Amino acid sequence: IVVATDAPLEARNLKRLAKRAMLGLGATGGTSTSGSGDYVIAFSTAPQLRLIESVEGGLDARTLRNRDTSPLFQAVREATEEAIYNSLLMATTVEGRDGHSVEAIPLRRVFEILQKYRVIATERAFPTQD
């Protein structure tokens, strides 16, 4: 999982943000087992993070305060969850080398299962699949 932000977060808060991405993975059913290979990298592109020399001669960077990070934590959890669902539900059938193919998930069947277990309302129309 790659978490990119333009919020001015220092390394410590970027690590905290990366941990919230794992919550998004868990919300989709990911188990994060020993062999799963789940990994998160988080970085910030904020210009404020570029180190500048202070008047006292040390280096200084302007960062977001801890108390202001909660909305970012929620956003990264939700964005991770949505990205995983999108990767599953918006994938198309592909054919690779030597005629090997991988079929797209059957959206109509997924929709029926979600309706059956009342995850979504039954009156919702089935989304079209191109």
Side-chain angles (χ1 to χ4, degrees):
I1 300 168
V2 177
V3 177
T5 182
D6 61 357
L9 297 176
E10 60 187 7
R12 178 180 167 278
N13 278 330
L14 286 168
K15 287 179 187 177
R16 294 174 68 208
L17 197 64
K19 290 178 182 179
R20 277 26 180 232
M22 292 303 289
L23 294 174
L25 176 63
T28 65
T31 57
S32 299
T33 60
S34 175
S36 65
D38 302 327
Y39 194 79
V40 180
I41 183 169
F43 64 91
S44 174
T45 61
Q48 304 92 303
L49 293 177
R50 297 181 186 132
L51 295 176
I52 55 174
E53 200 164 332
S54 69
V55 178
E56 295 83 29
L59 295 177
D60 184 31
R62 292 177 214 102
T63 61
L64 202 59
R65 297 175 299 198
N66 284 341
R67 67 177 177 234
D68 298 325
T69 58
S70 289
L72 294 173
F73 293 162
Q74 183 66 26
V76 79
R77 192 202 76 68
E78 291 174 3
T80 300
E81 182 179 0
E82 184 170 342
I84 292 168
Y85 287 138
N86 280 340
S87 71
L88 292 170
L89 299 174
M90 301 312 293
T92 58
T93 299
V94 294
E95 188 169 324
R97 192 172 130 192
D98 299 327
H100 295 285
S101 67
V102 177
E103 298 292 322
I105 192 168
L107 291 183
R108 183 168 298 283
R109 183 69 185 123
V110 170
F111 192 75
E112 290 168 357
I113 292 168
L114 292 174
Q115 285 180 331
K116 177 181 178 181
Y117 291 99
R118 298 183 179 157
V119 175
I120 58 174
T122 56
E123 62 272 1
R124 290 180 64 178
F126 176 73
T128 59
Q129 184 177 22
D130 297 326

